[in-house]
Amino acid sequence: MPPTANASFNCATAGLLTDNQKKFVMILDSFRQDVRVGLRVLFKDKIFCFLAVLVLGLGIGGATTQFTVVNAVVLRGFSFPHPEQLVSVGLIDPKASDQNNNFGFGQIPTAQDYEDLKAAQKSCSLMAGYLSGSTINVTYKDSPQRYNGGYVTEDFFKITGVSPIIGRDFTAADNKPGAERVVILGHEIWKRDFNSDPNVVGRNVRVNSKAATIIGVMPPNFKFPGFEELWTPLYNQFPPIPRGQLVIGANNAAPAVIGRLKPGVTLDQANAEFVNLARQLARDNPKTNQNFTSATVQPLAKSIIGVQFRQTVWAMLAAVILVLLIACVNVMNMQFGRAALRARELAIRGALGATRWRLVRQMLTESLVIAVFGALVGVLLAYWSVDLLTRAMDALPSGFNLPYWIRFTIDARVLAFTVGVTLVATIVSGLVPAIVSVHSNAAEMMKEGGRGNSSRLVNIITRLLVVGQIALTAALLIATTLEIRSIRNQLRLDYGYDENAIYSARMALMEGAYTEDGRRDFFKRAVRELRANPQFDSAALSDRFRMTFAGSGQYEVDGESYLTDRDRPRGNFESVSDLYFSTLGLKILEGRDFTIDDADAKQPVADDRRRRSRHLDAGTVRSADRHRRLLHATPWRIAIHSILHDSRSAARRPARGNARSSSE
């Protein structure tokens, strides 16, 4: 098109625009000119451009990566319908510590408490109980497999809004004690172990050594609430225990409780109702519920992740934002140095009629261009970092990784955060240098070698920036050093034995194929054969999960009186076999180890372990005729006060081949 025709077209188009549209077009055209000039200026100063983009890219990349973690852990939540309605429910002992109240999320002492709460409450449209992270043994075509599974009540999947893609959901009849056992498979094991058989529904398997029927398959990537691979009804495996027959530890299959709030019901309203219900349960059942006079209803994602972990990821985000701030200060210092070299250019442009606002806008545009390039570099670094983090998390052993619904992905929210930090980086790194630079004396700058009357102000600002940068860096280094030291201490925690010399294997014998005597005989035979194996120096049994997690609870000391249950002391406990301490290489300084005769049928005993470094002083060791017992389900035990070197383990009692204890 000829130039005259083009001009005519532009004029005709402009005539069709409103005044606001004309202003917008002018601003857009002016911004395009500023970007073009900024690119030309920056490409002339390649070293400055490269360093500034690199520094901001590292800062934005770190902030984007950490915000991806925060987004996955804290912000995104579940992908279920109306995830804001999903809550956890627990009873609270107001006089106990947060740790004894499940870190503030409460607990359900028995399945009967769950049933009573469910029947009386009106805040939730649905409630369900579950046990997660459990061992479920499945035998199909004479091939036994052990899976991470969940024991759930009938409304568990209905609360999430997710249904099986093949077959049906659980019903109330499935969840009754003594009902025909059924199981729902996860999609992954359906594909891997059942060859994606479309006719898998109705197939017979054995679940925990009892006959069962497959009734459904869940959708892909569904492992709720954590990393479950299949699910079976809770009460079918663990019938509710009546109040007054309570047991503690692994035998007490008290469920965790979740619910879906009714539309319009707030958390405050639900909390108020469940607090009243908790008080009513305490009045109706003073023997078992007298301490649980309060309750808590909290968002489900928050209760699964835990407060401490959420605080940790927020703290790490604050740390990387501090790194980004240091990067911006670095670029700001470089901008001041560059502005001194461009002083005559800015003076000439001002003399030719450019306003101070026009010069500030031009320099801010150049800062924006640098920040955009830095953001592109940062996003590329973030994609690489997130992929590395994802592969590292997937490599963790089962049971130690994050719940399946926490996936680190750079989505729209993360990109919006990146845009926000890019704009912040633009303003922080470019605004002050731009404003200070345009307040120069044009006449002085036109003189050869003139420094302008703003040089003293620039010197003061740059010195303050250097001091501030050093202070921020020092604070960050101190915090990082403390964090690294804490992690190193955790990794180097002295358990009192050589971890590299101890091997553990996990096994669980369910009641379907083994009687209590049969389980006891199996474990005795297993440890006897291991001790006879020349490849092992020694062998023992323990119910400590992966030699890390042990049970805890209250206990009584014979001769002591307790006004309330709360007055009884609390402690960790662990069931072990004879030669346990010698297998770990722990030297007993006083007292004795367990023997094969230390059985409940002969002489119930418990090792009241003392640590020389902390607890041993005059009068600490009581006489051997003192007795101790764990509450509700165990006999009185003779306390054999052994004195060990300092080790971080629990109080112990002889192993009994418990039905739900997994032996390491």
Side-chain angles (χ1 to χ4, degrees), residues 60 64 67 375 378-379 410 413-423:
I60 293 175
T64 301
F67 185 78
V379 169
I410 298 179
R413 183 187 283 117
V414 176
L415 293 177
F417 172 82
T418 304
V419 172
V421 297
T422 300
L423 296 177

Side-chain angles (χ1 to χ4, degrees), residues 125-307:
S125 57
L126 293 169
M127 286 182 66
Y130 69 94
L131 297 176
S132 63
S134 303
T135 292
I136 297 182
N137 298 328
V138 177
T139 302
Y140 178 61
K141 293 183 178 180
D142 297 326
S143 177
Q145 297 286 340
R146 186 182 69 198
Y147 299 105
N148 287 315
Y151 297 98
V152 302
T153 58
E154 65 271 14
D155 291 329
F156 183 78
F157 295 128
K158 298 181 182 67
I159 286 177
T160 66
V162 180
S163 302
I165 58 173
I166 301 176
R168 66 173 178 86
D169 198 351
F170 294 127
T171 64
D174 295 327
N175 193 41
K176 291 185 180 299
E180 181 182 350
R181 186 159 297 189
V182 293
V183 62
I184 294 179
L185 304 178
H187 196 272
E188 181 179 341
I189 66 171
W190 173 64
K191 290 182 61 178
R192 184 187 66 227
D193 299 335
F194 292 85
N195 298 318
S196 301
D197 183 3
N199 300 315
V200 71
V201 172
R203 294 290 174 90
N204 294 322
V205 295
R206 295 189 72 81
V207 174
N208 295 337
S209 301
K210 286 190 174 181
T213 303
I214 298 173
I215 64 170
V217 178
M218 295 304 292
N221 300 319
F222 182 89
K223 299 180 181 179
F224 187 77
F227 36 86
E228 275 61 38
E229 299 174 286
L230 73 166
W231 301 262
T232 191
L234 173 64
Y235 294 159
N236 192 282
Q237 178 72 41
F238 303 110
I241 301 173
R243 288 192 176 93
Q245 299 180 23
L246 303 184
V247 293
I248 60 175
N251 283 333
N252 185 12
V257 175
I258 61 174
R260 179 175 284 276
L261 295 178
K262 293 179 179 178
V265 176
T266 65
L267 278 176
D268 290 339
Q269 292 172 335
N271 271 292
E273 181 188 27
F274 278 94
V275 167
N276 290 331
L277 292 177
R279 292 171 179 170
Q280 184 63 44
L281 285 177
R283 288 192 294 268
D284 295 342
N285 307 279
K287 183 178 179 180
T288 58
N289 290 67
Q290 62 177 338
N291 296 332
F292 298 100
T293 57
S294 185
T296 180
V297 179
Q298 300 196 34
L300 181 58
K302 181 179 177 181
S303 65
I304 292 178
I305 294 301
V307 175

